[in-house]
Each structure stands twice: as C-alpha cells, then as structure tokens.
Amino acid sequence: MADQPSEDRRARRSRAALRAALLDLITERGLNRIAVSDVTKRADVNRSTFYEHYGDVHELAADACTQMFDELIATTPVLLPDGTPRQLDRGRAALTGLLAHIAERADLYRALLGPDGSARVADHLHQRLTIAVHVNLTRPAVGTHADDPGRIAHDPVAAFLAGGVLGVATDWLRRGCPGTPEQLSAALMARLPIDGSPS
C-alpha cells in the first residue's frame, strides 16, 4: 500500500511523456503516420508501458487533445456578458487564443475532429466549451475557468453557443485554417448579436 503513491506518480509521468512525445511527433508528420514504436522511442518508455495506458495511438491522441484543451480553457478569463468595448476586446482575445491554440496543433485537431475522427473527442470538447460558456453567463465574478465544475445543469443556450464555436473551429480546420486566428475572431465578433441586437 505504501508503494501506491509512487506508482501513481510513475503512471502520471509515463502518460505525460507519451502525450508530449505524440504532440512533438505530430509537428513532424500526420497522426496516421505515427506508430506506437515512434511514440515510445520519443518518450523513452517501453511498449508494454504504452499498452498499460493506451490501446493505440488514436486513444493516446484523444487523451492528449482533451487534456491540452482542458488546460487551455482553464487559463481563459471568465467574460462578463455586458457588451462593453472592453469586454468585447477580452472576448475577442479569448477567442483568438482558442483559435491560435487549435492552429498550432492543426494536424491533431484535424485528425480527431475530421470525418474519420473521434466522436469521443468532439463530445468532450463540446461539453468542456458548454461548461465554460455557462460559467461566462452565470458566474462572471470568477477570475478564470480553472475551477469550473465538471458538470452543469441543462443549459441549452450554453450548448448552442459552444456548438457554434466548435463548428467554426472544425470548419476552419477542414479548409486548411485560412486567415489568421485574429482575422477569424474579429470577423466572428463583428457578426455576433450583442445584448440581443444583431450587428
């Protein structure tokens, strides 16, 4: 029983090394061209260690993607839904940051959100965005999304808005990320209705 914490730490280190190795490899080649042996060699772990944690490279990619996305959202500021110029600037900056993050890992997100991708990843990202939008709308006094709840009550408005963000990101990836994240977020913010009034 005394060995359990060290085993947990070792398992966390192994998973972190495998995620980092995969993300590093994706900058060099597409996800479908990465084998388990490539990941284990880059992470400096045994194949058996890989299979203790993941069934295949796609399962590792899903874990790496969702963890990375959760960490990104956790650092995003909670936005006051007041429609002031300062708040709109913060909203544009947050959206730009999200799109820039996706663009930096476009091969990973494209593989997981594309037609042959992972429904589990798409569902996780939608749920995580829905919670973040819900917190933006209901708890603006909280500083960031680091302490967001794991679950929220049914909030169709938050789900709708989160689906829109995810849909825009998926379409942008499908088209090869045309334009910069700044240009896309500015175009989106310019078309969004503020305080119920269309732009």
Side-chain angles (χ1 to χ4, degrees), residues 10-11 14-15 18 46-55:
R10 187 166 39 249
S14 295
R15 285 194 299 270
L18 289 165
N46 297 324
R47 282 181 74 91
S48 60
T49 301
F50 179 97
Y51 287 112
E52 284 173 22
H53 302 290
Y54 303 105

Side-chain angles (χ1 to χ4, degrees), residues 23-198:
L23 294 175
D24 192 38
L25 285 164
I26 280 175
T27 65
E28 300 170 11
R29 63 189 103 150
L31 182 62
N32 290 331
R33 294 176 50 216
I34 298 172
V36 169
S37 58
D38 298 323
V39 178
T40 56
K41 182 177 179 183
R42 183 70 58 98
D44 195 23
V45 300
N46 297 324
R47 282 181 74 91
S48 60
T49 301
F50 179 97
Y51 287 112
E52 284 173 22
H53 302 290
Y54 303 105
D56 57 25
V57 170
H58 275 266
E59 188 176 330
L60 167 61
D63 183 45
C65 178
T66 54
Q67 169 131 354
M68 189 172 55
F69 196 79
D70 288 349
E71 290 169 359
L72 170 75
I73 296 295
T75 63
T76 302
V78 173
L79 305 176
L80 292 166
D82 59 10
T84 62
R86 178 175 172 271
Q87 201 56 36
L88 292 176
D89 286 345
R90 286 183 68 194
R92 187 180 302 111
L95 184 56
T96 298
L98 176 70
L99 293 168
H101 161 82
I102 289 171
E104 286 169 10
R105 303 289 189 197
D107 288 340
L108 173 64
Y109 281 103
R110 194 176 289 115
L112 293 172
L113 296 175
D116 298 319
S118 167
R120 185 176 64 182
V121 169
D123 182 65
H124 177 86
L125 299 189
H126 184 257
Q127 286 186 41
R128 190 64 191 83
L129 281 169
T130 299
I131 291 168
V133 172
H134 173 82
V135 170
N136 279 338
L137 296 174
T138 61
R139 298 170 51 200
V142 180
T144 71
H145 288 281
D147 296 320
D148 280 3
R151 294 181 179 275
I152 57 170
H154 179 56
D155 186 341
V157 172
F160 175 78
L161 294 171
V165 171
L166 190 57
V168 164
T170 303
D171 181 67
W172 190 52
L173 286 165
R174 185 182 301 120
R175 296 171 188 279
C177 301
T180 66
E182 292 82 2
Q183 291 168 332
L184 181 55
S185 62
L188 286 170
M189 295 296 285
R191 300 292 299 172
L192 289 176
I194 303 300
D195 291 336
S197 304

